[in-house]
Amino acid sequence: MAKSKVLVVGGTGYIGRRIVKASLAQGHETYVLQRPEIGLDIDKQQMLLSFKKQGAHLVEGSFNDHKSLVDAVKQADVVISTMSGVHFRSHNILLQLKLVEAIKEAGNVKRFLPSEFGTDPARMGHALEPGRVTFDEKMVVRKAIEDANIPFTYVVANCFAGYFVGNLSQMERLTPPKDKVYLYGDGNVKVAFMDEDDIATYTIKAIDDPRTLNKTLYIRPPGNILTQAQLIQKWEKLSGKKLEKISISAQDFLASMKGMDFAGQVGVGHFYHVFYEGCLTNFEIGEGGEEASMLYPEVEYTRVDDYLKIYA
């Protein structure tokens, strides 16, 4: 079967650049949307040129120009959106509604993967304010996709290792703490952690797979499902240093929202659902979903132990 041509929207972003790399690595003709809105952002421009050097095609298109989006979409069989959805960077989830309109008009797309790559929004109808906005907006996009009868795959990638593993899941830092570590409750809620490059590899593998058509792909390989306490233990063993553990009750953790800015409050809400409620692992994957490591056992995904070695 011929490999689909792929258009990546948001290709210079945190997950987007990895999707571009994985698409090229797996032999897909790869297009990256080049938006005039990047202006004088030289880092983004140079990243786009580096994609071009690696064999990707740059396609101009703007969310302010419907025709340009339609023209860009017509060049590919599969569209993957990686628009940012985190409030401490940029939050553009609903901008994808313009992309949905363009895909609908173009009429040639065999699969659309909207910007998800985190927690399954379909399971977060109970989420706390103000953080629930992320899930609510993703569900608005899903409804638009399904109302337009656009074939889709939703990718639920759980906790990015860069944000949750090296820092032992501490907020407001990206490196391991040196003396003390905050434990969410007893630290025994199971969490799914994933290396970002592996997320991209699994995502690209799914785009031509009939088993993932109109389904949710959950990336939660068994070897990377562990508790925060287990994560800390692995680091202590690796570093040879014991950390003082300070347990925070759910009540105190939620109370810490008071006085925080909007992005901070969103973060606390999301951490609460992951580390106190276990929203990533407290359910069985049903008929509407597939688990990536079971579909693609050939992928040698990065284990948490190996990821931690980078920080040792």
Side-chain angles (χ1 to χ4, degrees), residues 122-141:
R123 307 189 64 84
M124 299 306 293
H126 66 291
L128 297 169
E129 295 281 9
R132 64 172 299 132
V133 63
T134 307
F135 311 119
D136 290 346
E137 289 185 356
K138 285 179 178 179
M139 290 308 292
V140 167
V141 174

Side-chain angles (χ1 to χ4, degrees), residues 288-309:
E290 298 285 351
E291 198 285 306
S293 68
M294 291 187 71
L295 289 184
Y296 315 113
E298 69 277 10
V299 175
E300 292 282 336
Y301 65 89
T302 307
R303 303 309 205 263
V304 165
D305 306 63
D306 291 323
Y307 197 92
L308 281 171
K309 288 175 186 171

Side-chain angles (χ1 to χ4, degrees), residues 10-14 16-18 20 32 38 41-54 56 58:
T12 58
Y14 185 66
R17 60 181 182 262
R18 292 170 165 87
V20 173
V32 184
I38 66 170
D41 190 329
I42 191 70
D43 291 332
K44 287 187 177 180
Q45 179 58 34
Q46 291 188 339
M47 196 183 300
L48 287 166
L49 291 174
S50 78
F51 294 153
K52 193 175 177 183
K53 272 187 190 172
Q54 293 165 54
L58 303 183

Side-chain angles (χ1 to χ4, degrees), residues 98-281:
K98 293 186 177 184
L99 190 55
V100 171
E101 285 302 311
I103 291 169
K104 187 176 169 183
E105 185 174 322
N108 63 299
V109 171
K110 295 192 299 190
R111 194 88 62 103
F112 177 41
L113 286 70
S115 186
E116 297 246 349
F117 305 105
T119 305
D120 184 359
R123 307 189 64 84
M124 299 306 293
H126 66 291
L128 297 169
E129 295 281 9
R132 64 172 299 132
V133 63
T134 307
F135 311 119
D136 290 346
E137 289 185 356
K138 285 179 178 179
M139 290 308 292
V140 167
V141 174
R142 284 191 181 192
K143 185 176 187 303
I145 292 165
E146 291 168 32
D147 285 352
N149 291 315
I150 295 167
F152 64 85
T153 299
Y154 303 138
V155 179
V156 170
N158 301 301
C159 284
F160 294 171
Y163 284 108
F164 289 91
V165 173
N167 59 357
L168 309 183
S169 301
Q170 304 297 285
M171 294 189 77
E172 298 183 350
R173 65 177 302 141
L174 294 173
T175 53
K178 291 189 167 42
D179 304 307
K180 61 185 180 185
V181 61
Y182 291 101
L183 207 59
Y184 304 115
D186 58 10
N188 289 327
V189 169
K190 287 189 174 174
V191 180
F193 300 101
M194 275 310 297
D195 175 86
E196 293 85 342
D197 291 323
D198 294 341
I199 291 168
T201 298
Y202 282 124
T203 298
I204 296 299
K205 280 201 167 277
I207 62 177
D208 283 329
D209 190 341
R211 297 173 296 179
T212 58
L213 178 63
N214 295 336
K215 285 190 175 183
T216 300
L217 180 73
Y218 294 90
I219 309 179
R220 56 176 208 193
N224 276 5
I225 294 176
L226 58 156
T227 67
Q228 188 200 9
Q230 288 171 324
L231 176 64
I232 293 165
Q233 283 166 7
K234 285 180 183 294
W235 173 249
E236 288 178 331
K237 188 178 176 184
L238 190 62
S239 66
K241 188 176 180 183
K242 284 278 178 195
L243 296 170
E244 179 193 353
K245 293 160 195 75
I246 302 165
S247 176
I248 310 173
S249 70
Q251 191 177 359
D252 287 346
F253 185 69
L254 290 175
S256 72
M257 268 195 209
K258 195 175 178 184
M260 281 188 178
D261 62 10
F262 184 80
Q265 290 180 28
V266 168
V268 167
H270 291 183
F271 266 66
Y272 171 79
H273 293 300
V274 170
F275 291 101
Y276 289 92
E277 198 177 81
C279 68
L280 306 181
T281 60

